Amino acid sequence: MSRTEQIEIERKYDVDGAVRVPDLRGTGPVETVAVDEPVLLRAVYFDTAEHLLLANRITLRRRTGGHDAGWHVKLPAGLGARRELHAPLGIDPDEALPATLRHAVEIVLRGRPLHAVLVLETTRTATHLLDADGRALAELADDEVEATHPGTAEVRRWREWELELAPGISRADGESLQDAVGDALQRAGASASASVSKLSRGLGDALPAVVVAAPADPSESAERPKKSSAGAFVTRALDAAVTEFQELDGPTREGEDDAVHRFRTATRRLRGILRLGGSVLDADEAARVDDALARIGRAAGASRDLEVALALVDRTALAAPESFVAQETLGRLRASLRESARDAAHDLDRAMTDPSYFELLDRLDRLVEVVPSGEDAGRKADDVVAGRLRKATRRARRRLDAAVRSIESGEVDLALVHSARKATRTLRYEHQAARRAGVTGSASRKAARRAHDVQDVLGEALDAANAVTLFVDAAEKARWAGEDTFGYGVLATVASAERDRALAHLPRLARRLA
């Protein structure tokens, strides 16, 4: 199903049944109003047994009636705003949540089933607030609500007003409008609502005490590490990296542009922090998390590598002599790679719905929450990080030297080049983590930039080498099929030259790596 979204900015007011909606003409920029006929809305709200969506300020409902019937997910968007996602209704009233919306909240659900937790029947009378040109400024919904708890059959009734800004109204204009209209509503007898949502108000006493995180580990009762300690540094670095990783879960599931690339990068950055804090964290738990990150990273890497291969075909074709590569040759290459890319995307989606991935997410939550217990957790962060960075630098230097020797010998060993790239990339991520957490400064920024330069050159060389293999394999298949192979040979020659050109820069850049 297709999905749409918008940003919702609203204020809620409690009001008793005797109060009438005031005439808002002349309030701020409001010149005219238009009042709809009352409409009956029926919404079924869903959550897990633990109410994890509500605990994360997320509401999920299936609504019938009104102009916006459908599935709705509301997510926090900061500064009092809500990001609202919509998907259309299916035919079956017992239908499951559409996958396109489930993807947006799977980072919280983690495979758990959903249950109906509240049924709301609302009689809504909407008043549209318009400016002098007839442009919509906001909508004031006068709601008479009846909430039924499906488990206990308990019923609650109340009346409330919701003032929601129309799309396209700037934040400054919107706040001014809401202030002016809000004052008028309160003069009429309304009061600012004490409930953040109809769901929480409808649940009332049935609202559970929700605990989002996993059960506390006994070590959490230990004294929190000092700000200057390695334990505090690793906690800060992990917290930022885990947040980045989790924020990319939904976009990656949805196949948004560049999401797989960023997700794989976030995975690698997390693994770099685990290595940097290897002696600070519980060694066994860190190893388990690292193994799980490696598994999901391989799935993301397979998908990303095919995205890169498709881009390389186009780039290599542009670099080839004009008319040397037939469009039919390029078409076959692209079709084959797109088919493989679809398979890889399916494999990644399957990996992200596997229980082992959800277990990884739980482990990452605990890793951030639990006080580090490794042997170096109490030492000064500067000392521990400096030692780890020295080791990472020496490792990168050794592998780079081996790669450079193979290049200068005329017999390029791509396995050594790949090993050097991995070590250089890890060094870069460790320097970035140290700088972002405030342990190192300009020296790490410079070192990370130089490592990035080396990593880019090695990446270009390896991508071109992979392209050579791709074109040669495609030529072999074409030969067996009795097809023209000339264009594949041209592409392989161009890619080979790009590989050699990239590798030629490596000795100079490697010498600059501190």
Side-chain angles (χ1 to χ4, degrees):
M1 293 184 179
S2 60
R3 186 182 88 182
T4 60
E5 66 177 85
Q6 66 184 47
I7 297 297
E8 174 190 86
I9 303 176
E10 67 178 19
R11 294 183 186 178
K12 300 168 71 67
Y13 298 87
D14 293 333
V15 60
D16 65 37
V19 176
R20 299 182 62 181
V21 174
D23 184 354
L24 295 170
R25 288 175 295 180
T27 303
V30 179
E31 289 291 327
T32 60
V33 300
V35 183
D36 291 344
E37 290 295 322
V39 62
L40 178 63
L41 311 174
R42 187 178 190 274
V44 180
Y45 285 76
F46 295 86
D47 207 334
T48 66
E50 307 92 336
H51 285 262
L52 291 179
L53 292 180
L54 185 58
N56 285 274
R57 298 178 56 230
I58 298 170
T59 56
L60 164 62
R61 71 186 178 210
R62 185 183 188 274
R63 172 188 278 176
T64 55
H67 66 88
D68 63 346
W71 287 93
H72 300 198
V73 172
K74 293 186 180 183
L75 305 152
L79 296 176
R82 302 274 278 169
R83 177 173 167 237
E84 186 169 348
L85 311 181
H86 299 255
L89 296 175
I91 298 174
D92 186 355
D94 296 323
E95 65 184 338
L97 174 66
T100 186
L101 293 189
R102 174 111 193 179
H103 286 162
V105 294
E106 194 66 85
I107 189 66
V108 174
L109 297 179
R110 301 181 187 181
R112 296 177 178 89
L114 290 164
H115 308 280
V117 295
L118 194 69
V119 178
L120 288 183
E121 291 189 338
T122 303
T123 300
R124 169 168 292 180
T125 304
T127 299
H128 303 276
L129 310 183
L130 313 173
D131 67 9
D133 298 322
R135 182 178 65 127
L137 297 171
E139 177 184 290
L140 176 65
D142 181 2
D143 290 343
E144 296 180 6
V145 186
E146 180 176 285
T148 305
H149 193 289
T152 64
E154 180 183 0
V155 176
R156 290 174 175 267
R157 296 181 180 88
W158 69 91
R159 184 178 175 214
E160 68 179 31
W161 289 343
E162 287 183 357
L163 177 64
E164 180 177 349
L165 295 179
I169 302 299
S170 71
R171 181 168 293 278
D173 289 344
E175 287 184 355
S176 176
L177 173 65
Q178 286 180 315
D179 289 343
V181 174
D183 287 343
L185 297 180
Q186 293 188 72
R187 286 195 300 271
S191 59
S193 178
S195 299
V196 295
S197 70
K198 286 184 173 68
L199 175 59
S200 59
R201 183 167 185 171
L203 287 172
D205 295 337
L207 184 65
V210 183
V211 179
V212 179
D217 186 277
S219 65
E220 288 188 279
S221 60
E223 183 180 352
R224 303 303 296 182
K226 295 180 179 179
K227 288 185 178 180
S228 61
S229 70
F233 151 69
V234 170
T235 298
R236 290 195 303 272
L238 277 174
D239 187 41
V242 168
T243 297
E244 177 191 27
F245 180 81
Q246 292 181 343
E247 287 176 347
L248 287 167
D249 180 279
T252 302
R253 292 176 189 278
E254 281 294 288
E256 292 183 13
D257 288 345
D258 203 41
V260 173
H261 178 208
R262 290 181 291 136
F263 182 73
R264 181 170 70 166
T265 298
T267 302
R268 288 170 168 171
R269 184 170 287 124
L270 264 172
R271 297 188 71 197
I273 294 171
L274 290 175
R275 293 188 183 94
L276 190 59
S279 60
V280 175
L281 300 166
D282 177 272
D284 292 338
E285 180 62 11
R288 283 189 287 267
V289 171
D290 187 63
D291 287 344
L293 286 169
R295 286 195 298 273
I296 197 65
R298 283 193 292 271
S303 184
R304 172 58 182 169
D305 288 346
L306 284 159
E307 291 179 351
V308 171
L310 274 163
L312 275 170
V313 168
D314 293 339
R315 193 168 75 227
T316 308
L318 285 173
E322 188 176 357
S323 76
F324 273 42
V325 183
Q327 287 302 312
E328 183 180 11
T329 297
L330 294 174
R332 286 175 178 160
L333 275 171
R334 290 172 182 141
S336 176
L337 287 171
R338 287 188 185 114
E339 182 178 357
S340 297
R342 284 192 292 271
D343 290 342
H346 177 72
D347 290 343
L348 176 57
D349 181 67
R350 188 165 51 190
M352 293 182 73
T353 54
D354 189 86
S356 64
Y357 175 69
F358 298 137
E359 182 183 352
L360 166 64
L361 295 177
D362 291 340
R363 287 186 180 278
L364 288 172
D365 286 343
R366 288 195 293 270
L367 206 59
V368 172
E369 292 297 326
V370 173
V371 175
S373 58
E375 60 180 345
D376 287 337
R379 291 180 56 199
K380 287 188 64 176
D382 292 356
D383 296 339
V384 174
V385 170
R388 297 293 300 184
L389 290 176
R390 283 194 296 271
K391 289 181 181 179
T393 302
R394 288 196 295 268
R395 181 174 62 247
R397 283 286 340 164
R398 286 195 304 270
R399 295 186 183 183
L400 275 172
D401 289 345
V404 168
R405 285 194 297 271
S406 80
I407 294 167
E408 293 175 339
S409 71
E411 298 290 336
V412 179
D413 187 331
L414 291 178
L416 292 177
V417 174
H418 180 65
S419 177
R421 187 181 187 225
K422 287 176 62 179
T424 306
R425 183 176 61 221
T426 298
L427 175 63
R428 172 195 165 200
Y429 289 147
E430 290 186 6
H431 271 293
Q432 286 179 339
R435 182 172 60 83
R436 288 172 179 169
V439 177
T440 57
S442 59
S444 266
R445 181 165 51 247
K446 184 182 295 185
R449 186 170 60 248
R450 289 176 174 175
H452 194 189
D453 291 342
V454 174
Q455 178 191 332
D456 277 352
V457 166
L458 291 169
E460 290 171 10
L462 289 169
D463 287 344
N466 290 334
V468 171
T469 301
L470 170 68
F471 299 141
V472 170
D473 289 347
E476 184 66 12
K477 292 176 183 176
R479 184 176 71 82
W480 279 105
E483 300 168 357
D484 178 36
T485 63
F486 179 75
Y488 299 110
V490 171
L491 292 171
T493 301
V494 172
S496 180
E498 288 183 354
R499 177 201 63 198
D500 294 342
R501 187 161 47 248
L503 289 175
H505 293 294
L506 185 60
R508 175 181 58 84
L509 291 174
R511 286 193 294 271
R512 297 178 59 213
L513 195 66

